[in-house]
Amino acid sequence: MAREKVISAGDQEEAQEVSVVSPIEKEEDRREWNLRPHTLDEYIGQTTVVENLQIGIVAARRRQEPLEHVLLHGAPGLGKTTLAHIIAAEMGASIISTSGPALEKPKDVMGILSSLEVGDVLFIDEIHRLSRVIEEFLYSAMEDFQVDFVLDKGAYAKTIKIPLKRFTLVGATTRAGMLSAPMRDRFGIFAHMDYYSVEELKKVVERSARILNVPIEAGGALEIARRSRGTPRIANRLLRRVRDFAEVEYDGVVTQKIADIALGREMVDEMGLDKLDRAFLRTIIEFYNGGPVGIEALSATLNEETDTLVDMVEPYLLKIGFLNRTPSGRKATQTAFRHLGMAFHGEGEPLLPLAP
Ligand code: ADP
């Protein structure tokens, strides 16, 4: 496995209770490192991404050169950090992990860059959240493997060029659109990761159950997979919840029925939607007549941060076709109305009374 060093901006987990289907990493997820696949062969799904990386890695190894810089784009919990570690391991290199918000001063970045050996992986999570200064500082590091470092200030300012070893930067982002064009252009490999299919998630659940020694029936794994909103991190978390329930209330075997009851108690419905997802859709339907409505208005009505809605709630609702994003705002689709047991009123028509 790759040797790793982590540089973080402190614990960013919020004190407030986080939903069981939130894709954001929690302490309980962090503890289970053994669930992460360690090789590309073990990595489930994301076939195109894996194939492209495989080719890049084999070619780089053959040329005895470091891998090109890699940009991983996709929703939280889809396996970007896992892939960064796999890349380092497959290249036989060390990995230094940090995140955009943790890199504040060029001096700190300089320290990290100059500690990198040839081929090492510098993993920057949330790379879209780098400050402009740091981003510009990284340009020449990525392109020419050297940095211009300014010593002193004002009249005494002096720029020195510091050479760096050829490293690989692996950046992860949930918002590729927020990266500047020069930054995007410096990546040789661009991998977009999509939500996992239910079948793939079922494999993730079965693999994790094996590692955790949890007896599970195919129906149980399928039920958990269905409610995991396309996200392996959520699948693993739901598996742990259902396992605990099966152990305490039943004989420990995870069956479909037990998964169904346990997840119902966690307020996760058959589509994997939680309270906030449902409140989001209900607000569009009941307050805004099905939409279109702007995200700012929704954020104010729900008393939730716009970023939470854009990053956590909307992507999955868009993916499963419950939400449409139009130039004039967000709209709930007919399927969303049906899922919530509400009568669809059609385009521009007044809202019908709710179904009994
Ligand atoms: P991200 O960095 O995109 O937020 P992570 O790499 O931290 O996501 O993945 C979250 C968890 O999901 C990991 O701990 C791992 O156990 C699991 N996971 C992610 N991708 C896969 C995969 N392809 N196969 C099996 N498990 C996976």
Side-chain angles (χ1 to χ4, degrees), residues 85-100:
H85 282 80
I86 292 178
I87 291 171
E90 300 261 349
M91 293 299 294
S94 295
I95 176 164
I96 293 190
S97 301
T98 185
S99 73

Side-chain angles (χ1 to χ4, degrees), residues 198-217:
V198 171
E199 266 316 300
E200 288 164 345
L201 285 177
K202 181 167 172 265
K203 286 189 194 148
V204 171
V205 172
E206 285 172 339
R207 176 180 173 276
S208 300
R210 261 195 315 277
I211 298 172
L212 297 172
N213 276 323
V214 178
I216 190 164
E217 290 182 0

Side-chain angles (χ1 to χ4, degrees), residues 25 32 35-37 42-45 75-83 196 204 207 232-233 236:
E25 191 176 45
E32 268 163 12
L35 295 185
R36 282 185 196 267
E42 269 185 84
Y43 197 86
I44 294 162
L78 295 189
K80 299 183 292 298
T81 308
T82 307
L83 263 187
Y196 290 63
V204 171
R207 176 180 173 276
R233 174 176 294 138
N236 285 338

